[in-house]
Amino acid sequence: MAISPDSLIGRFIHRRMLARWRNAARDAVNAELGTLRTQRQQARQLHAPLQELKHTADTRLALPRIGSTTFPRPAGTNWAWRPKAWRSSIAICGVAPAVHKSSFGDEITLFHDCPKSELSLVQRRNTEAADLAPFGLRLEVYHFAGSYLSLVVEIPPASCEGLQKRHLIQLGAVITRESPIKIYARLNVKHGPNTEQILMTLPDDGPETVVEFDLAYSQLNEKRAERMWVDLMFENPVMNQITIRDLNFSRYPRAEI
C-alpha cells in the first residue's frame, strides 16, 4: 500500500530521510571510506528517480496546464478547438529532417518541395506567463531551395456540423519569428465534389494575430459541408525560426444588422 506524501506518516518518513542525508553530507569529510563508498552508491541510486520525478513534476505543474483549451472566444461562439499539438504532448515530439509529407500527430502535416530537407519541426513546452497554450511548435529552416512550405492543420468534422454561410471561422495564433516573414492562412471547406478556399495574410505587427474567414462570400453548399482544414504557408522561409506558440479556431455567426 502506497503511503501518501501528504499524510502524517508520509511527512514523518520524509523528515527522517531528509535528516539522514543532511547528516551524511555533513559528516562525509570524516566518514570511513567504506561507509562513504556505500553512501555514494545509495545517493547515485536516488539521484536518477529524483531527477525524473522533478522533471515530470515541473512539466505537469508548469502553467499553462497540459490539456488546456482556454483561449479568447468571440461572443456567440458555437464551436471552438485547439489542435492537440498545442494542448498536450504528442508521441513524436520532433521531426528532423522534416521531409515532404512529414506527419506530426494525427492533425498536422508538413508539405514542401525542397529537394534537400534542411528543416525541422519540434514540439516545445510553453512556460511564459503570457502563454495560454501548454505547447507550441517550432519550425526551423536553414537552406531552402523549394518553391513552397506549408503546415496543414486538419480540423475535426464537428466544425462542419450545422455550418452555414452566415458563419465566420476565426483563427487565433501567437507566432514569433526570428526574421520577418510573410505567413498566409488558407481555409479549405470541402462540400461534395467542390472545395471552397479563402486566403488571408496573417498580420506580422506582433506575436498575437487573429484573422476571420467570412463564409458569406463563398459558394458553400451548406447541406454538403463535410471537411475543413487550414494551410499555413510560409513565404521565403530560408534561415528562419518560426515558433507557433498557440493556434486555435472558433466558429460563430455574423452579427445581424
Side-chain angles (χ1 to χ4, degrees), residues 100 111-114 144-150 233-234 237:
H100 176 59
F111 291 87
H112 66 81
D113 63 347
C114 190
F144 190 81
S147 62
Y148 71 90
L149 173 64
S150 67
M233 298 174 288
F234 306 90

Side-chain angles (χ1 to χ4, degrees), residues 201-241:
T201 302
L202 298 186
D204 56 3
D205 53 352
E208 296 186 18
T209 181
V210 174
V211 292
E212 296 175 330
F213 301 96
D214 193 343
L215 297 178
Y217 301 101
S218 70
Q219 301 299 316
L220 175 68
N221 184 335
E222 298 175 345
K223 295 181 180 180
R224 303 192 68 181
E226 59 185 76
R227 181 185 167 215
M228 188 183 299
W229 71 96
V230 162
D231 304 318
L232 295 178
M233 298 174 288
F234 306 90
E235 182 180 90
N236 191 24
V238 63
M239 293 302 295
N240 212 335
Q241 182 186 92

Side-chain angles (χ1 to χ4, degrees), residues 88-250:
S88 59
S89 179
I90 58 178
I92 302 175
C93 63
V95 181
V99 299
H100 176 59
K101 278 191 172 182
S102 290
S103 295
F104 205 76
D106 298 330
E107 301 162 346
I108 310 295
T109 307
L110 188 71
F111 291 87
H112 66 81
D113 63 347
C114 190
K116 185 178 180 181
S117 180
E118 294 186 21
L119 52 100
S120 64
L121 185 63
V122 178
Q123 185 185 48
R124 56 185 299 278
R125 186 71 162 96
N126 286 336
T127 56
E128 294 186 7
D131 288 320
L132 293 179
F135 293 89
L137 289 185
R138 173 168 291 170
L139 177 64
E140 292 192 65
V141 184
Y142 303 99
H143 176 71
F144 190 81
S147 62
Y148 71 90
L149 173 64
S150 67
L151 197 66
V152 176
V153 182
E154 189 74 27
I155 301 176
S159 62
C160 293
E161 294 176 3
L163 186 65
Q164 300 176 4
K165 293 178 70 173
R166 64 190 292 261
H167 281 134
L168 291 93
I169 306 296
Q170 176 179 286
L171 181 155
V174 180
I175 303 175
T176 57
R177 305 158 170 87
E178 187 176 51
S179 303
I181 182 175
K182 285 289 184 183
I183 303 177
Y184 304 92
R186 183 175 63 200
L187 177 71
N188 307 270
V189 184
K190 187 177 187 304
H191 55 114
N194 303 313
T195 300
E196 291 300 310
Q197 296 184 326
I198 305 175
L199 182 66
M200 303 288 291
T201 302
L202 298 186
D204 56 3
D205 53 352
E208 296 186 18
T209 181
V210 174
V211 292
E212 296 175 330
F213 301 96
D214 193 343
L215 297 178
Y217 301 101
S218 70
Q219 301 299 316
L220 175 68
N221 184 335
E222 298 175 345
K223 295 181 180 180
R224 303 192 68 181
E226 59 185 76
R227 181 185 167 215
M228 188 183 299
W229 71 96
V230 162
D231 304 318
L232 295 178
M233 298 174 288
F234 306 90
E235 182 180 90
N236 191 24
V238 63
M239 293 302 295
N240 212 335
Q241 182 186 92
I242 303 110
T243 303
I244 308 174
R245 305 184 69 86
D246 193 8
L247 189 72
N248 55 74
F249 299 88
S250 304

Side-chain angles (χ1 to χ4, degrees), residues 34-96:
T35 300
L36 193 60
R37 188 174 294 109
T38 300
Q39 290 175 331
R40 181 181 65 176
Q41 181 63 24
Q42 291 175 339
R44 284 175 174 172
Q45 292 173 343
L46 285 170
H47 179 74
L50 288 175
Q51 284 296 103
E52 182 180 357
L53 171 63
K54 181 180 181 301
H55 173 75
T56 303
D58 287 345
T59 300
R60 291 191 61 193
L61 295 175
L63 293 177
R65 292 290 178 88
I66 293 175
S68 172
T69 58
T70 300
F71 55 87
R73 307 177 189 198
T77 293
N78 53 26
W79 172 85
W81 177 67
R82 171 181 282 142
K84 182 179 179 180
W86 283 271
R87 70 176 188 268
S88 59
S89 179
I90 58 178
I92 302 175
C93 63
V95 181

